């Protein structure tokens, strides 16, 4: 035991990549974990494993086999299953858990948001309104909108969705970050009436909201799922780095 006991960094976000780079630079043994959802993921520096663990039991097995020193859950705010698994596995293995969750976006005075509790509620609202919809919820949630014939959808995804798609749609394959000029152009060229977004937070995809506010486009904003509230929660990569560095067992050779 000792030299290479790793921090398990559950990732798939820009913050996780940033934190991995900082921990590698600080000589902290770290293994970044990606779900393997996208065909060509942006890889963090340092050691990486890709693919599910096989449920919460598989995650616990991994933690024990690798004698992990800590878990940092830096997954996306809507990746609720892995966040729940991390909380359960940390408790069962008695391994310290940090949740790095970027702050949600907050509506400003120029924003016209309708906040809804989940994707099904967003789909009901879109069905009620019809019109021209910019769907930015990601590939895994597109199927919820499949039965809506009263609207036209511009669907932005990294990889093509496997679910059924709405009758009237255009797929736009691209990956952020996005700048304000291109978001403004996209919304006006496609005569978008309503933008559907998860409240993901962060700067990489925020420009669409600024463009929507400028152009008077309504936003249907899907609230985040509840967090288990286990372990320590921080909202910035700086604080996450400080937390790891403050854990004596995370240092190499301890
Ligand atoms: P999820 O619904 O919470 O997780 C579903 C299953 O995927 C988990 O049970 C786990 O499989 C596996 N998994 C998820 N994240 C993993 C990770 N970092 N390493 C290893 N296995 C992981 O997650 P999701 O919403 O599908 O998101 C998957 C990944 O994409 C996450 O890492 C997340 O940070 C990233 N992401 C998600 C979104 C989003 O909107 N949901 C957006 C951007 C990025 P097992 O049960 O087999 O362990």
């Amino acid at each position: 035991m000792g030299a290479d006991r790793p921090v398990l960094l559950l990732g798939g976000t820009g913050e996780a990549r940033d934190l991995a780079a900082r921990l590698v630079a600080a000589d902290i043994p770290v293994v970044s974990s990606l779900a393997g959802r996208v065909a060509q993921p942006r890889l963090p520096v340092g050691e990486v494993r890709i693919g599910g663990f096989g449920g919460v039991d598989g995650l616990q097995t991994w933690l024990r086999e690798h004698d992990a020193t800590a878990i940092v859950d830096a997954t996306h705010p809507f990746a609720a299953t892995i966040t729940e698994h991390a909380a359960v596995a940390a408790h069962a293995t008695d391994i310290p858990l940090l949740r790095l969750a970027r702050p949600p976006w907050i509506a400003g005075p120029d924003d016209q948001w309708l906040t809804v509790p989940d994707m099904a509620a967003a789909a009901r609202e879109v069905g009620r309104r019809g019109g021209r919809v910019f769907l930015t919820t990601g590939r895994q949630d597109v199927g919820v909108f499949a039965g809506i014939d009263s609207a036209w959808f511009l669907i932005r995804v990294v990889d093509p969705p496997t679910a059924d798609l709405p009758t009237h749609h255009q797929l736009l394959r691209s990956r952020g970050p996005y700048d304000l000029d291109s978001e403004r152009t996209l919304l006006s060229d496609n005569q978008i009436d309503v933008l559907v977004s998860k409240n993901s937070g962060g700067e990489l995809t925020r420009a669409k909201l600024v463009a929507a506010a400028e152009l008077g486009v309504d936003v249907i904003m899907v609230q985040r799922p509840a967090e288990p509230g286990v372990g320590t929660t921080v909202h910035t990569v700086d604080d996450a780095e400080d937390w790891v560095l403050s854990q004596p067992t995370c240092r190499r050779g301890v």
Side-chain angles (χ1 to χ4, degrees):
M1 262 207 242
D4 289 309
R5 294 181 60 202
V7 174
L8 175 63
L9 174 50
L10 299 169
T13 57
E15 288 83 357
R17 288 190 294 276
D18 189 359
L19 182 60
R22 294 185 193 201
L23 297 183
V24 168
D27 200 31
I28 302 285
V30 58
V31 175
S32 291
S33 177
L34 305 179
R37 290 276 179 279
V38 294
Q40 291 180 313
R42 290 196 174 119
L43 292 176
V45 299
E47 195 177 332
V48 179
R49 66 165 298 289
I50 299 181
F53 294 93
V56 71
D57 293 342
L59 177 55
Q60 286 178 47
T61 302
W62 192 99
L63 292 164
R64 291 198 172 103
E65 281 180 0
H66 293 80
D67 199 14
T69 52
I71 308 167
V72 178
D73 173 11
T75 58
H76 191 272
F78 281 76
T81 305
I82 191 72
T83 289
E84 176 67 25
H85 288 183
V88 172
H91 181 72
T93 55
D94 205 21
I95 293 174
L97 169 65
L98 181 74
R99 172 69 171 131
L100 168 55
R102 60 173 93 124
W105 293 312
I106 310 276
D110 296 332
D111 289 306
Q112 301 170 42
W113 292 8
L114 175 72
T115 298
V116 294
D118 53 32
M119 208 55 72
R124 280 195 298 277
E125 183 61 24
V126 167
R128 196 182 64 72
R129 292 177 184 224
R132 296 179 66 83
V133 180
F134 183 26
L135 194 59
T136 65
T137 52
R139 169 174 87 111
Q140 296 186 80
D141 295 299
V142 170
V144 181
F145 297 84
I148 301 174
D149 292 337
S150 56
W152 175 87
F153 292 86
L154 178 63
I155 303 174
R156 184 159 70 187
V157 281
V158 177
D159 288 322
T162 49
D164 289 344
L165 299 178
T167 312
H168 313 292
H169 76 268
Q170 183 183 323
L171 270 188
L172 173 62
R173 287 190 59 190
S174 69
R175 173 151 41 186
Y178 304 102
D179 64 50
L180 181 56
D181 277 350
S182 58
E183 296 293 62
R184 208 187 270 126
T185 304
L186 193 66
L187 290 177
S188 44
D189 284 0
N190 288 283
Q191 299 170 289
I192 295 298
D193 304 306
V194 60
L195 161 68
V196 184
S197 175
K198 293 172 171 169
N199 195 336
S200 301
E203 287 306 311
L204 300 185
T205 57
R206 205 177 77 85
K208 63 187 174 187
L209 301 174
V210 180
E214 280 184 15
L215 297 169
V217 169
D218 289 345
V219 175
I220 298 176
M221 184 64 79
V222 182
Q223 268 176 342
R224 295 172 169 204
E227 297 263 334
V230 172
T232 304
T233 297
V234 294
H235 302 291
T236 66
V237 177
D238 281 348
D239 288 346
E241 181 185 9
D242 287 349
W243 183 88
V244 174
L245 296 180
S246 74
Q247 305 289 311
T249 53
C250 291
R251 299 204 166 270
R252 195 178 290 280
V254 172

